[in-house]
Amino acid sequence: MTDGPATAPGSATDEALRAAVVDLLDRADTAAEGPGTGILPIVQAGAPVLRAVAAPYTGQLGDVLPGLVDAMRRTMHAAPGVGLAAPQVGIGLAIAVVEDAGTQADDPRERTPLPFRVLVDPRYEPVPGADGEPERAAFHEGCLSVRGWQAVVARHRRVRLTARDETGAPVDEVLSGWPARIVQHETDHLAGELYLDHARLRTLTSNENLVRYGAVVDLG
């Protein structure tokens, strides 16, 4: 998939990136003792790749892209998580996968189902509410690259997502509630940002204490 390569086809940079992805997939398969079953290691906060702006995808991976997408999906499910960006597995490309089964209808987070999809070079912008101003919703969220912790982040309740999928087809849709939060979280990863950059740090809690004490949004 390509929009027209930013670098010459077959360039040393592209070949090195493709080789790195092939090696990553091979090592994951070997660790899992069988092809097609490998889970990729998720890098944690402090790794430089999480703080670098991901490169636009211009077809650098060629026929390796489907393998990376499949491995990212397996890794996201195994974590478990609802989104995973390529930098989180050490690949600095603007690619992410998202999927969430959702929860019960009365969930205040508006956690409606988000079907699996691949987002290539995603962007988002807030969608105004009835009063013409963007609405924001504040809830705890966590990150597979900041394992074991959550904090309250106020995010846009509704966003317009634009991207391409893995085939190059355009994506242009409006999402609200938890699906909108997932898209914002994963797109921020591609800009070198972590959710903690936008969090109310006084609400930072371990996963265990969030269950034990509940979701405290305002600590003064």
Side-chain angles (χ1 to χ4, degrees), residues 103 105-113 137 139 157 176-179:
T103 57
D106 60 351
D107 190 324
R109 298 171 297 177
E110 300 179 273
R111 191 170 173 177
T112 55
F139 294 104
R157 180 176 168 268
S176 62
W178 204 254

Side-chain angles (χ1 to χ4, degrees), residues 8 55 102 120 128 156 199 220:
V120 177
H156 299 298

Side-chain angles (χ1 to χ4, degrees), residues 7 10-18 60:
T7 56
S11 70
T13 299
D14 287 357
E15 289 302 316
L17 181 59
R18 187 179 186 280
Q60 299 97 320

Side-chain angles (χ1 to χ4, degrees), residues 132-216:
E133 295 295 327
E135 302 174 80
R136 297 180 77 84
F139 294 104
H140 274 90
E141 70 180 70
C143 179
L144 298 178
S145 291
V146 189
R147 196 178 303 280
W149 298 90
Q150 295 192 41
V152 170
V153 182
R155 291 197 183 272
H156 299 298
R157 180 176 168 268
R158 300 180 72 221
V159 297
R160 179 185 178 191
L161 166 68
T162 54
R164 291 172 288 147
D165 67 14
E166 68 275 29
T167 72
V171 175
D172 189 341
E173 61 183 309
V174 172
L175 300 169
S176 62
W178 204 254
R181 179 174 294 267
I182 294 171
V183 163
Q184 291 172 81
H185 181 115
E186 299 308 327
T187 302
D188 286 355
H189 268 304
L190 304 179
E193 300 174 0
L194 294 175
Y195 82 98
L196 291 173
D197 299 337
H198 311 287
R200 301 176 186 174
L201 292 182
R202 283 178 59 84
T203 67
L204 184 67
T205 177
S206 67
N207 291 343
E208 293 82 1
N209 280 341
L210 183 59
V211 173
R212 180 180 302 168
Y213 299 117
V216 179

